[in-house]
Amino acid sequence: MNINWSALGFHYTEPDYIVRAACHDGVWEQPYATKDKYLHLHVSATCIQYGQEAFEGLKAFRGVDGKIRIFRWQENAKRLQRSAKALYMTPPPMDLFGDAIRLALLKNLRFVPPYETGATLYFRPLLIGTTPRLGVGPGRDFELIIIPSPIGPYYPGKFHCTSFIVNRHVDRAAPLGTGQFKVGGNYAASFRGTEAAHAQGYDCLFTDAKTHKYIDECSAANFIGIRESGQSPKVESQKVPTGTPINVESRIEYLTPRSSAILPSITNDSLMKLARKMGMKVIRRHIPVEELATFSEAAACGTACVLSPIDKVIDPDKGVTYHICDEPGPIVSRLYKALQDIQYGRVRDTHHWCEVI
């Protein structure tokens, strides 16, 4: 095997094995490893006909001590269970999910990237409905598939700033729809917005589907904004000042949207816990797009991108460009390091987030 670990992007690399487990009439079979990477499905399977499908994403890290750490897989198992219930699928039990992830890791150990390469072993748990059906309705048969692949950074260039453009003309998820669940349909619905943004050299900042006034998600990631306490959320002028440096010792606010249409990010949850531990005030509420003018730092966060700083956001409908920062700021950098220190075993895991293999 000849892999340039430091040059890996967020792309699929063929592993030795994937792991599969089937469910029939509510009973799950034990997971097993196989070299067969192809699905053998009836053409009328509910995952194909009606989108009865959910998935997850999590990572294993080669630590500074040479040990492998799987990060918060229990939270991924819980989130997959919530998604499964929403789509009338039989949720994989927690123990089965954990056994499947460990088996996928142990059968593909040579694909765990070395420490300090910036690469990790990514797992894509996929849950699909396999019952043949033409009438509209959920199936009764399912398959859980764990797809491992070594990956590099989601955004090329590792830890650097990304620019976004606001899109009020495409809704990725309805307020009472499936936005809070990790299902493929949400991502397919977002393609019109993300591909249009990419064509202009940006990533897409979605607004809420009900009013289009509030920040929803950064492409396929959660949004966070950082500022000093006391900054007014009311912006009367469209003249947007450049963000000013933050005094790390001052009281800092960490803001992130609250919405029934946003996927609860495990990375965001981890960062919020770290922010509180650092003394920051964590706020979850609706965030008007115009409030971007008050942030000295902002970022997209998720399992794939981890934490990606935002330098500017263009709002073409309003004719405004929000200049936030020219390079990764001190607070976002500090949060990123704190999370990575835990994932790579550089500090004691007091949160008990990692399972060490």
Side-chain angles (χ1 to χ4, degrees):
M1 184 175 66
N2 185 19
I3 296 178
N4 184 348
W5 302 107
S6 299
L8 276 179
F10 195 86
H11 306 295
Y12 176 73
T13 298
E14 186 85 358
D16 289 334
Y17 293 88
I18 64 171
V19 172
R20 311 173 86 137
C23 176
H24 302 289
D25 293 325
V27 179
W28 279 97
E29 299 174 355
Q30 287 301 305
Y32 65 95
T34 176
K35 291 188 175 184
D36 183 2
K37 313 298 196 309
Y38 290 88
L39 294 173
H40 305 279
L41 284 174
H42 194 282
V43 293
S44 294
T46 53
C47 65
I48 298 174
Q49 297 295 328
Y50 299 114
Q52 196 178 27
E53 173 268 356
F55 69 98
E56 275 299 321
L58 63 150
K59 292 178 179 177
F61 300 78
R62 177 86 68 182
V64 64
D65 54 3
K67 297 178 181 179
I68 299 171
R69 290 166 172 81
I70 307 174
F71 186 70
R72 301 194 76 179
W73 68 262
Q74 297 90 342
E75 296 305 313
N76 291 96
K78 293 175 187 175
R79 193 167 66 181
L80 183 62
Q81 289 177 338
R82 292 194 297 269
S83 297
K85 291 176 182 177
L87 271 63
Y88 285 80
M89 307 171 79
T90 303
M94 179 80 70
D95 290 345
L96 182 143
F97 184 94
D99 289 343
I101 293 294
R102 293 186 203 95
L103 181 57
L105 171 63
L106 294 175
K107 297 295 285 187
N108 294 281
L109 281 175
R110 70 193 188 103
F111 290 95
V112 181
Y115 176 66
E116 285 193 324
T117 60
T120 59
L121 183 63
Y122 179 81
F123 300 97
R124 170 59 58 81
L126 174 67
L127 181 63
I128 58 173
T130 57
T131 303
R133 182 168 188 146
L134 284 180
V136 177
R140 294 176 56 86
D141 307 291
F142 310 99
E143 187 171 11
L144 174 68
I145 306 166
I146 310 296
I147 309 164
S149 176
I151 60 162
Y154 188 79
Y155 292 110
K158 297 185 180 180
F159 195 60
H160 76 295
C161 289
T162 303
S163 301
F164 282 78
I165 187 169
V166 177
N167 190 316
R168 294 185 176 85
H169 307 283
V170 175
D171 295 330
R172 53 165 293 277
L176 300 179
T178 58
Q180 62 184 302
F181 309 112
K182 198 167 180 68
V183 299
N186 295 341
Y187 297 82
S190 73
F191 290 164
R192 284 187 300 145
T194 57
E195 291 306 300
H198 294 163
Q200 299 177 75
Y202 304 103
D203 259 294
C204 184
L205 185 68
F206 288 102
T207 55
D208 73 292
K210 185 177 181 179
T211 70
H212 299 114
K213 294 179 180 179
Y214 305 106
I215 295 171
D216 190 44
E217 284 207 339
C218 296
S219 189
N222 278 194
F223 171 87
I224 64 171
I226 304 294
R227 69 184 182 198
E228 294 186 54
S229 296
Q231 291 285 337
S232 172
K234 296 181 180 180
V235 181
E236 303 298 336
S237 173
Q238 289 189 346
K239 183 178 179 181
V240 182
T242 301
T244 54
I246 277 182
N247 177 358
V248 178
E249 301 302 322
S250 66
R251 183 69 175 175
I252 305 299
E253 292 179 343
Y254 175 118
L255 285 83
T256 192
R258 180 185 292 278
S259 168
S260 61
I262 294 175
L263 182 72
S265 164
I266 295 165
T267 302
N268 197 1
D269 178 74
S270 304
L271 291 169
M272 284 190 280
K273 288 179 169 63
L274 292 173
R276 290 189 185 99
K277 190 174 181 179
M278 293 175 185
M280 299 181 208
K281 183 179 181 182
V282 174
I283 302 169
R284 295 188 66 195
R285 60 165 171 78
H286 291 314
I287 301 176
V289 173
E290 292 79 8
E291 200 165 341
L292 287 165
T294 70
F295 296 130
S296 55
E297 300 178 50
C301 67
T303 298
C305 69
V306 187
L307 195 54
S308 181
I310 299 171
D311 55 2
K312 66 180 178 181
V313 179
I314 296 172
D315 187 344
D317 293 325
K318 305 292 184 181
V320 177
T321 297
Y322 298 96
H323 295 281
I324 298 173
C325 58
D326 295 326
E327 59 185 15
I331 302 302
V332 167
S333 298
R334 187 178 172 192
L335 287 166
Y336 179 78
K337 182 179 184 302
L339 182 61
Q340 295 266 282
D341 282 347
I342 293 172
Q343 292 170 331
Y344 284 105
R346 295 191 288 253
V347 299
R348 184 183 174 192
D349 179 15
T350 58
H351 299 276
H352 306 291
W353 285 341
C354 299
E355 179 175 324
V356 182
I357 304 298

